[in-house]
Amino acid sequence: MPDPAPDTVQSRLASVLARVEAREAQSGRAPGSARLIAVSKTFGVDEIRPVIAAGQRRFGENRVQEAQAKWPLLREMADDIELHLIGPLQSNKAKEAVALFDAIHTVDRDKIAGALADEIAKQGRKPQLFVQVNTGLEPQKAGIAPREAAEFVERCRTVHGLAIGGLMCIPPAGEAAGPHFALLAKMAAEIGVSELSMGMSGDFDTAIAFGATYVRVGGAIFGSRPPIAPATPEEPAAG
């Protein structure tokens, strides 16, 4: 009996990509319509380099400061890397976020929308923007309430002049994810946005079946996550 293939970050990435492709096919979706974000939060430069070398170009980070410390160096490996902010953003970090990230998934209040609008105008950069929806109405979790999302997206567009491209959610732990993904997809259709950022290591197959265009997968690629350092008052930890 042949020895099992070694468990490496490259083999885990290949396995996740194969699962994404298989679920797209099972759901009758076009290949490549669900895009993988490799969530590299808390992992260091040396742990991320092999994933870039294996061909992955889309990565997610939770904290602006952590990303600033890693990605200027890592981006020297490839000029087509996309960096996504998937953790909560504080308004005092809007300048750095607009300068560094190609997409921001966590717009959830007017103060953030206004700060991003100011920096987008100043810097001339236009990161892709998502509104985070707290589909489970969890008080400890970021995101706007579902009943307020349509009005908030409209304010982002008309008051702040932001181009909102999609919605993002993180279902409550311990609950079936499918109903939350279905709700987010329904809201996106009603609001008129095409991108859905939903699904993580434990449920991204389900998210693709419900129409996810971005799935955020960390542990299934990088393995066990290092301990998360305590958050600073300026930038709380997320997820």
Side-chain angles (χ1 to χ4, degrees):
M1 187 173 181
D3 292 333
D7 180 33
T8 64
V9 69
Q10 293 95 334
S11 68
R12 292 192 294 269
L13 172 64
S15 176
V16 169
L17 288 169
R19 285 172 60 187
V20 169
E21 185 177 353
R23 183 47 64 103
E24 285 174 334
Q26 292 166 5
S27 303
R29 296 183 53 180
S33 58
R35 288 150 284 181
L36 173 65
I37 299 171
V39 178
S40 49
K41 67 177 185 179
T42 76
F43 289 99
V45 167
D46 290 341
E47 295 161 299
I48 298 169
R49 278 194 177 114
V51 184
I52 299 175
Q56 178 65 20
R57 292 294 183 267
R58 195 174 291 111
F59 291 85
E61 293 283 344
N62 257 37
R63 297 183 182 181
V64 174
Q65 288 171 314
E66 181 186 344
Q68 284 178 307
K70 297 188 298 193
W71 283 97
L73 179 62
L74 286 165
R75 274 184 154 149
E76 294 178 3
M77 291 185 64
D79 60 9
D80 57 346
I81 285 173
E82 280 184 27
L83 196 55
H84 294 241
L85 179 63
I86 59 172
L89 175 63
Q90 302 292 45
S91 58
N92 64 352
K93 297 294 182 183
K95 178 179 179 179
E96 293 88 345
V98 170
L100 182 61
F101 290 95
D102 301 292
I104 296 171
H105 291 233
T106 51
V107 182
D108 66 352
R109 57 196 186 278
D110 283 280
K111 187 175 182 180
I112 292 296
L116 288 172
D118 289 344
E119 288 303 327
I120 287 169
K122 290 175 185 176
Q123 298 184 35
R125 296 194 81 242
K126 294 184 178 180
Q128 189 177 25
L129 299 177
F130 295 74
V131 166
Q132 181 173 355
V133 182
N134 188 344
T135 56
L137 295 174
E138 297 174 274
Q140 80 282 8
K141 188 175 287 182
I144 195 157
R147 64 181 177 276
E148 299 171 6
E151 184 179 344
F152 176 63
V153 170
E154 184 64 17
R155 285 201 309 278
C156 286
R157 291 168 170 165
T158 59
V159 176
H160 303 292
L162 296 176
I164 301 297
L167 304 179
M168 184 271 254
C169 78
I170 304 171
E175 289 191 18
H180 294 272
F181 297 153
L183 172 61
L184 199 72
K186 180 175 182 289
M187 292 173 58
E190 292 172 349
I191 290 170
V193 295
S194 59
E195 304 292 353
L196 288 168
S197 171
M198 58 191 196
M200 298 185 289
S201 288
D203 55 24
F204 71 86
D205 305 87
T206 301
I208 292 170
F210 281 98
T213 59
Y214 288 94
V215 292
R216 312 178 303 271
V217 180
I221 296 170
F222 288 98
S224 298
R225 203 170 290 285
I228 298 175
T232 66
E234 292 78 21
E235 194 168 355

